[in-house]
Amino acid sequence: MGRTSVVEARKPESIGQRALVQGWVRTRRDSKAGFSFLEVNDGSCMSNLQIIADGSLPNYESEVKRLTAGCSVSAYGEIKSSGGQGQATELLAERLQVHGWADPETYPLQKKRHSFEKLREWAHLRPRTNTFGAVARVRNCVCRSIHQFFQQRGFLYVHTPIITASDCEGAGEMFRVTTLNLEDLPRKDGRIDHTLDFFDRPSYLTVSGQLEAEIFATALGNVYTFGPTFRAENSNTSRHLAEFWMIEPEMAFYELTDNMDLAEQFLKQVCRDVREQCDEDIQFFHDRIDNTVLPTLDAILEHDFVRLPYNEAIEILERSGQTFEFPVSWGSDLQSEHERFLTEQQFRRPVILHDYPRTIKPFYMRVNDDGRTVRAMDVLVPKVGEIIGGSQREERLDVLEARMLEQQLRPEDYWWYLDLRRFGTVPHAGFGLGLERVLQFITGMANIRDVIPFPRTPGNAEF
Ligand code: ATP
Ligand code: MN
């Protein structure tokens, strides 16, 4: 007989059916009348299913009465209507099989609540907690919504490489990929001889799929990548991971305003889907983690995002009367305290900041006629700050080459990227959305390490 999930078994429509429910015991309570209540969870939803194990079961004394949190069981019986609070149904077990015991002396997830820091040490067990089960379900929902959003609009999903020889950001925060013997590096003229390495040249884990996505956009129109991204930034913050997932759409014939429109529709659609499909989990985050979760989601859906030129943002911050740790002035990059001031105090909704100084943005962003700014856009949201970074790309060959030189990049290393401007160049634009930042925003989880199954941060890669 096939397994019935707890989410199915909890529906009133299931009353009267026979079902096999399988999962992990959360609690056991014995009644004086000679039977036990088991709360069983199988991850299909946050709620447990109550199972009534009667004293007449053949293994009642020998097994059922020894069940504790974490034990795995199969229960077969009829789904009945339940008089208990918060549940329409329960299962009256006719057979109850124990698959695995969990010694209460050593099983870490007992009734006591553990801090999220502590749970990170048990990355192999934390999915069994309410919070991490909910994170996993919401994460899945967001990913489905992302694919649906682009697929419904005819975007092609393209896979860009994870190993690359180009540094998209020119920032140098990359992990090296090598098969050279690190104990005995081959040298030539005193320097490491990269021609003997696997790829004949220095290579890295990608920091972005954008440059390769541009190749496909300038052939196929609208595309997106969605994959793991790596940054060796040694920043121990609550918003940075060394390995994270990024969604990067790239659209031919798009200008900056088209890009902003798409980013706004996209974030709204993801929020709407989560709101509709993860009701129970979102309610949990609102009640237990951060009581601004529901109003924040609703505000996203109800209001247009603010669109604010960088120039004006600087003026607002300078006039704000706030004392910031990092002072602002035209030409400086915004810090998260500034981003949060704009989204949480000034506007109380997402803000798309655009047209940044050219000196603080990468070479591939299109230079404006003023010569001082580029067609960049960052989407900032309350609580998290930057969630999306994007731009209209520089499609003019001569300007692009000049920008590379300005940033000490060698145009010959990017010959293929420049070819896209040499042959049939078009205006185009795109952006990158950090999946984990969206999840932080939606769930209210304060630390990015708690919205990815196995966080990679400086010093942490055990699980
Ligand atoms: P930040 O200033 O926050 O470090 P960034 O300017 O380096 O971000 P981009 O290079 O524009 O970010 O990357 C696009 C998006 O990828 C960001 O808006 C963010 O959502 C996400 N992102 C960037 N770096 C990280 C990271 N280390 N961990 C998780 N997400 C990240
Ligand atoms: Mn960064």
Side-chain angles (χ1 to χ4, degrees), residues 18 40 117-118 212 220 237 305 388 399 407 448:
R18 296 190 163 273
V40 170
E117 285 83 358
K118 190 76 206 157
E212 293 90 352
L220 300 162
T237 76
F305 293 6
I388 285 180
V399 183
Q407 302 202 350
I448 197 164

Side-chain angles (χ1 to χ4, degrees), residues 272-288:
R272 194 176 298 119
D273 286 345
V274 171
R275 194 84 172 81
E276 285 170 8
Q277 297 166 23
C278 299
D279 197 35
E280 187 187 27
D281 293 321
I282 290 300
Q283 192 66 50
F284 169 87
F285 287 117
H286 180 81
D287 294 340
R288 300 294 196 87

Side-chain angles (χ1 to χ4, degrees), residues 233-251:
E233 41 201 357
N234 209 344
S235 46
N236 256 310
T237 76
S238 59
R239 311 180 310 138
H240 288 91
L241 291 163
E243 175 180 301
F244 63 99
W245 286 67
M246 186 144 70
I247 300 94
E248 294 176 279
E250 191 69 37
M251 296 72 66

Side-chain angles (χ1 to χ4, degrees), residues 310 330-332 355-361 372-374 403:
Y310 171 92
W330 201 95
S332 63
D355 293 301
Y356 283 71
R358 66 189 282 170
T359 47
I360 56 171
K361 289 292 182 187
R372 298 174 76 209
T373 58
V374 290
R403 283 278 285 157

